[in-house]
Amino acid sequence: MTIKLLITYTLCVLCTMRLSALEVDSAVTITSLKNEFRFNWNSKDNRVEIIQKLNNIYTSSAYQVNYTVSEFYNNNISIDNITCKVDGRTPRGFKPEYTYYSNNDIFYSDERLCYFTLDLAKKGSISNVTFEETVNDPRYFTNIYFADNLPVQQGEVSIEIPRWMKVEIKEFNFNAFNIKKSTVYNSSNDADIITYKFTNIPAMKKELHGPGPTYIYPHLLIMCKSAIVGSKQFTYFNTLADLYAWYHELVKDVAGDPALLRTKSNELTAGLTNDLDKIKAIFYYVQDNIRYIAFEDGIAGFKPEKADEVLRKKYGDCKGMANLTKALLVSAGFDARLCWLGTKHIAYDYQTPSMAVDNHMICGLPYKGKTYYLDATETYIGINEYAERIQGRQVLMEDGDKYILGKIPYAQPQQNVSSELSKLYINGASLAGKVSNVWKGEDKEAVLAGINSIKHENVEDVMKHYLAAGNTDYAINNLVLSSTSNPDKDLNAGYDVDRKSGISAFGKEYYIDLDNRKELSGAVIAIDEQKNDYWFSRKDQIAAETELTLPPGYKTASIPPGVNISRPGYEFYITYISSPGKITYKKTLLIKNTLLTKANFVQWNQDIELLNKAYNENLVIKPVSQ
């Protein structure tokens, strides 16, 4: 099927429900895909429409296979007719289901889902499915994907564009595929028909730590610019200014009751005299008290819910949370604005004015020569910190009838820190001592998200399990955890430890493992399985320092070799420092670039093997007399 909305990719589990023992993606193939798109003038409704006919032929390679066909639509895309034949006959009782797309009964937008199950009883069963649809606004006609949730053996996509319609088509990710393009002129309709034929397109799959679909799958970005039909003229997104003007119109009058918002704003800033403290109070209130309803992809529902409604309901999507943040800040006298952007998940930027560029909204605040970008969906991150998914992304910010095109700052790896300092001694058959941990940025956010997702009375037990890295021989006592309520502060933990698994005695010699965590030890990439580049979730700095006090009369017998690896995208360092009466173990793991290309997989795996080799070497100490 043509995927108008990228959520089809995100929700592929819904689209490929596996109801048989044999996995559907190995039992069903799209042997033929033929999708036709035609721009049409609807004189009755005085609008340009896109008439779509989407046809797939499914073939089963096994017996008793059930496959769920689904198609998304919304207020601007209607499903006008569906036909389904299985082995030449309409299935008995064939009746597609139409429903809102929702999660836990909370509707995310006007997004809807049509679905039905194909019962392919025989090996070699053939089903022919056709959707006839209408897009009632060219702005919502954004992408055509050549891939589907199943492998496509042969496919054809055609777009008929009348000469009165101005459209720009950009081709993405064609190089690795067999795709042929042709254009013919249809004189009867005074239109150009652009046709793409292709073969052997693999199924769309969401790969863990892989790039978004716009980076890897062959598709077309459709940019509908303008139309002149007789004496009527229509401007869609001819320029970025047109796109902004449309967005700006959508967000007029979305604040809601000004008195209610002013009351809440005054409540949140009561007693505060410093502007930055007031800004933080409002921003952190939205972070902590408004439940984020995630709806990252999808071009429908671009209009934010009114701010007072989000405040009343205590939940909202990114648009609702951004709008509430803005409204409360404006009520407090600040020049807050809405900002549109596409996260790292999307390959496009604002050089291509299209609704497909955007999947996120935040609040921008110009203040004293600096712009603060406030993303309230990042619940436990500080005001001047930015999540990896939005760093470096272009931002379209409100500026009255004009716009400001900005960019989210990049953060250094040192924004996100997980550090540990241990001071240990040998206590019989254990390593004992004191440990302190510090988390910053997105590392802190990850820990706090876990803590705050559980019942309060279980926090200490869960935190101990996390600090012990699941090691039951790592006993923690006297745990002190800093406050988890202030995003401006680092998260700190201190405790006493008794670690039985870190030491082994052979006679009077001790074999000691000073690293309980061994981060990245399991980070070897399965090259045969990882089909695309690998994206780390964030830039990161992991640091550990362990000081071991030697027992009286002992010396080091064997110090493991260190690690000194420096690559453009990452660095690994391990050193042992010997000094009178003690040994200090230092480790730094630095992820500087979140993109690891396939060309670097072999080198990465070799470096992880070196890191693991260092992890597996023990420090050996023995009596001075030996």
Side-chain angles (χ1 to χ4, degrees):
M1 294 292 168
T2 297
I3 301 179
K4 302 176 295 299
L5 312 178
L6 295 180
I7 54 172
T8 306
Y9 173 82
T10 305
L11 304 172
C12 63
V13 173
L14 285 177
C15 304
T16 55
M17 295 169 65
R18 291 168 171 81
L19 304 179
S20 62
L22 188 64
E23 287 199 0
V24 165
D25 58 7
S26 65
V28 181
T29 299
I30 297 174
T31 49
S32 174
L33 177 151
K34 188 173 183 180
N35 294 335
E36 301 172 355
F37 304 87
R38 176 172 57 86
F39 286 86
N40 177 66
W41 171 245
N42 183 333
S43 57
K44 179 180 177 182
D45 294 322
N46 196 37
R47 68 188 184 198
V48 176
E49 300 173 335
I50 296 90
I51 308 300
Q52 303 182 163
K53 185 176 182 181
L54 317 175
N55 176 254
N56 279 2
I57 296 177
Y58 301 90
T59 301
S60 171
S61 60
Y63 295 96
Q64 300 299 324
V65 175
N66 298 327
Y67 175 71
T68 298
V69 175
S70 61
E71 182 75 3
F72 287 91
Y73 65 108
N74 54 57
N75 288 344
N76 293 282
I77 302 170
S78 64
I79 296 178
D80 307 318
N81 188 44
I82 304 173
T83 60
C84 175
K85 301 281 187 181
V86 176
D87 295 329
R89 296 182 179 180
T90 302
R92 180 180 299 177
F94 173 71
K95 186 179 179 181
E97 297 288 335
Y98 297 83
T99 183
Y100 275 96
Y101 170 67
S102 65
N103 184 9
N104 296 327
D105 297 324
I106 299 174
F107 297 132
Y108 286 55
S109 71
D110 66 341
E111 210 61 56
R112 297 183 184 125
L113 179 69
C114 170
Y115 65 95
F116 56 90
T117 300
L118 296 178
D119 295 317
L120 306 175
K122 299 182 298 183
K123 185 177 182 179
S125 285
I126 296 175
S127 176
N128 193 319
V129 175
T130 300
F131 284 84
E132 296 177 22
E133 304 178 10
T134 302
V135 181
N136 65 23
D137 185 338
R139 297 177 182 89
Y140 286 83
F141 183 43
T142 59
N143 313 84
I144 301 174
Y145 274 77
F146 298 167
D148 203 288
N149 296 313
L150 297 172
V152 177
Q153 288 185 358
Q154 291 188 330
E156 180 180 313
V157 167
S158 65
I159 313 163
E160 182 173 315
I161 307 173
R163 294 287 175 90
W164 47 259
M165 183 75 203
K166 184 180 179 183
V167 178
E168 182 180 354
I169 299 175
K170 288 204 169 187
E171 301 165 354
F172 285 83
N173 310 319
F174 274 30
N175 290 343
F177 300 95
N178 180 24
I179 301 172
K180 296 181 179 178
K181 175 184 176 182
S182 63
T183 302
V184 298
Y185 176 64
N186 181 349
S187 58
S188 60
N189 291 339
D190 189 27
D192 296 303
I193 302 176
I194 303 171
T195 301
Y196 295 87
K197 293 184 178 181
F198 43 92
T199 57
N200 300 322
I201 304 293
M204 296 180 81
K205 293 182 181 294
K206 189 169 185 178
E207 191 171 55
L208 185 64
H209 294 292
T214 54
Y215 292 91
I216 53 179
Y217 293 109
H219 69 279
L220 306 174
L221 177 64
I222 311 296
M223 294 182 288
C224 297
K225 295 181 172 292
S226 61
I228 300 176
V229 186
S231 61
K232 301 182 183 300
Q233 297 188 21
F234 301 88
T235 298
Y236 304 111
F237 300 144
N238 194 47
T239 64
L240 181 55
D242 296 330
L243 178 64
Y244 171 74
W246 190 72
Y247 284 171
H248 186 55
E249 186 65 29
L250 286 179
V251 299
K252 286 183 177 178
D253 303 319
V254 292
D257 185 349
L260 177 66
L261 294 166
R262 191 178 305 110
T263 298
K264 188 63 181 180
S265 180
N266 290 340
E267 173 192 322
L268 295 173
T269 58
L272 301 176
T273 57
N274 181 277
D275 280 351
L276 201 54
D277 288 340
K278 294 179 181 179
I279 293 165
K280 290 178 180 179
I282 290 171
F283 177 46
Y284 295 158
Y285 170 81
V286 179
Q287 279 187 331
D288 294 342
N289 294 277
I290 306 300
R291 180 186 171 197
Y292 173 43
I293 304 300
F295 191 73
E296 181 177 275
D297 290 324
I299 58 176
F302 259 61
K303 185 170 184 174
E305 189 166 31
K306 287 190 175 183
D308 58 351
E309 277 297 291
V310 176
L311 183 62
R312 180 183 67 82
K313 293 177 179 178
K314 294 293 188 288
Y315 69 79
D317 63 3
C318 64
K319 300 182 296 294
M321 296 179 78
N323 189 37
L324 176 58
T325 304
K326 172 193 170 179
L328 291 172
L329 286 169
V330 169
S331 295
F334 296 102
D335 183 21
R337 295 117 178 265
L338 293 176
C339 296
W340 295 263
L341 70 152
T343 64
K344 181 181 174 182
H345 181 73
I346 293 178
Y348 320 133
D349 61 21
Y350 285 110
Q351 294 181 63
T352 53
S354 165
M355 292 167 62
V357 174
D358 302 305
N359 66 346
H360 196 37
M361 183 180 281
I362 61 176
C363 176
L365 178 62
Y367 179 72
K368 292 189 175 180
K370 178 178 179 178
T371 299
Y372 292 88
Y373 295 104
L374 309 177
D375 185 354
T377 67
E378 297 290 341
T379 310
Y380 305 105
I381 204 165
I383 195 170
N384 208 26
E385 298 173 332
Y386 300 109
E388 176 65 32
R389 67 187 182 125
I390 65 171
Q391 289 177 30
R393 302 299 294 181
Q394 285 186 330
V395 177
L396 190 67
M397 186 168 68
E398 285 183 299
D399 190 29
D401 292 333
K402 299 180 180 180
Y403 63 86
I404 296 172
L405 191 59
K407 182 176 284 190
I408 305 286
Y410 283 102
Q412 295 300 312
Q414 291 76 15
Q415 173 189 274
N416 309 318
V417 171
S418 173
S419 68
E420 182 173 279
L421 176 63
S422 306
K423 294 193 174 184
L424 306 179
Y425 61 92
I426 296 174
N427 182 26
S430 299
L431 291 174
K434 293 186 177 295
V435 182
S436 61
N437 293 82
V438 179
W439 297 274
K440 302 174 183 286
E442 290 187 83
D443 284 27
K444 175 187 67 176
E445 183 181 26
V447 176
L448 288 177
I451 290 174
N452 287 283
S453 67
I454 60 176
K455 293 182 179 179
H456 182 72
E457 59 267 24
N458 296 329
V459 167
E460 183 169 333
D461 290 340
V462 172
M463 195 64 189
K464 285 181 177 180
H465 182 79
Y466 170 75
L467 290 168
N471 184 351
T472 55
D473 290 330
Y474 193 94
I476 293 175
N477 295 295
N478 303 318
L479 174 64
V480 177
L481 190 65
S482 67
S483 171
T484 62
S485 61
N486 189 344
D488 285 336
K489 301 293 185 181
D490 298 338
L491 178 64
N492 296 272
Y495 53 92
D496 298 328
V497 66
D498 187 81
R499 182 182 166 211
K500 293 180 174 59
S501 61
I503 185 168
S504 299
F506 295 90
K508 292 185 177 181
E509 287 188 339
Y510 289 103
Y511 290 75
I512 302 169
D513 177 6
L514 290 178
D515 197 319
N516 179 55
R517 302 198 179 281
K518 298 179 175 58
E519 295 93 343
L520 298 180
S521 60
V524 171
I525 294 174
I527 294 176
D528 293 339
E529 298 176 11
Q530 185 79 20
K531 303 302 181 184
N532 301 292
D533 296 338
Y534 190 98
W535 284 11
F536 296 97
S537 58
R538 57 182 176 266
K539 295 187 282 290
D540 212 349
Q541 177 174 296
I542 299 168
E545 180 176 325
T546 301
E547 180 185 288
L548 174 66
T549 299
L550 300 182
Y554 269 75
K555 66 178 181 179
T556 57
S558 175
I559 296 178
V563 172
N564 188 350
I565 296 171
S566 179
R567 310 292 179 202
Y570 57 92
E571 298 176 15
F572 303 153
Y573 303 107
I574 289 178
T575 58
Y576 289 83
I577 302 171
S578 179
S579 55
K582 66 181 179 181
I583 291 289
T584 302
Y585 169 81
K586 292 186 177 182
K587 174 181 65 179
T588 299
L589 307 177
L590 199 63
I591 302 297
K592 300 184 292 185
N593 187 340
T594 55
L595 171 62
L596 183 69
T597 64
K598 290 187 69 176
N600 289 308
F601 283 0
V602 171
Q603 183 66 67
W604 168 268
N605 285 348
Q606 291 173 351
D607 292 337
I608 294 297
E609 288 177 8
L610 290 174
L611 185 64
N612 281 326
K613 184 178 179 181
Y615 282 153
N616 293 330
E617 294 281 345
N618 286 333
L619 169 72
V620 183
I621 64 172
K622 64 181 181 180
V624 173
S625 60
Q626 291 187 4

